[in-house]
Amino acid sequence: RGFVARFHGAIISEYLIVTQVLTGGGASLTFNSEIGGTNVTGSAVVWAATDAQGAKVAGAAVTAANVFHEGDLIDVEAALGTAGTGGLAMYVIEYEKRLGV
């Protein structure tokens, strides 16, 4: 489930803020965004049990497939590395508006 873009733009970076530490020995999750079902190149953010509460966990540099148009579906997917038992984070996608549709 995602959201529908209301304008033309580009994703420029992604990160998460840890609000509750990921629990479970060696727990990890990898998140990335998609536009219209296509992965945004370089958008992976890896959240690990070693990330402290309040930490900003930066994603890789966004390099391609990051432009969206009005009406495109944007969503975030997660891939489980090692299962954990809890944790909470706020996921942030930074974008810029562009002219056109």
Side-chain angles (χ1 to χ4, degrees):
R1 184 167 203 174
F3 62 93
V4 177
R6 297 177 58 196
F7 47 82
H8 174 58
I11 294 172
I12 56 173
S13 70
E14 298 181 32
Y15 60 90
L16 63 81
I17 303 293
V18 178
T19 55
Q20 183 180 17
V21 174
L22 188 60
T23 56
S28 68
L29 293 164
T30 301
F31 298 91
N32 70 282
S33 61
E34 295 181 330
I35 299 171
T38 299
N39 289 336
V40 173
T41 306
S43 68
V45 179
V46 180
W47 179 22
T50 56
D51 295 322
Q53 184 170 342
K56 176 181 179 181
V57 181
V62 173
T63 58
N66 61 325
V67 175
F68 57 88
H69 303 277
E70 184 177 349
D72 283 349
L73 180 65
I74 300 172
D75 60 63
V76 175
E77 60 184 6
L80 180 63
T82 302
T85 56
L88 187 63
M90 175 178 59
Y91 198 82
V92 179
I93 297 175
E94 292 185 335
Y95 62 88
E96 63 185 13
K97 283 185 163 183
R98 293 191 174 173
L99 296 174
V101 290

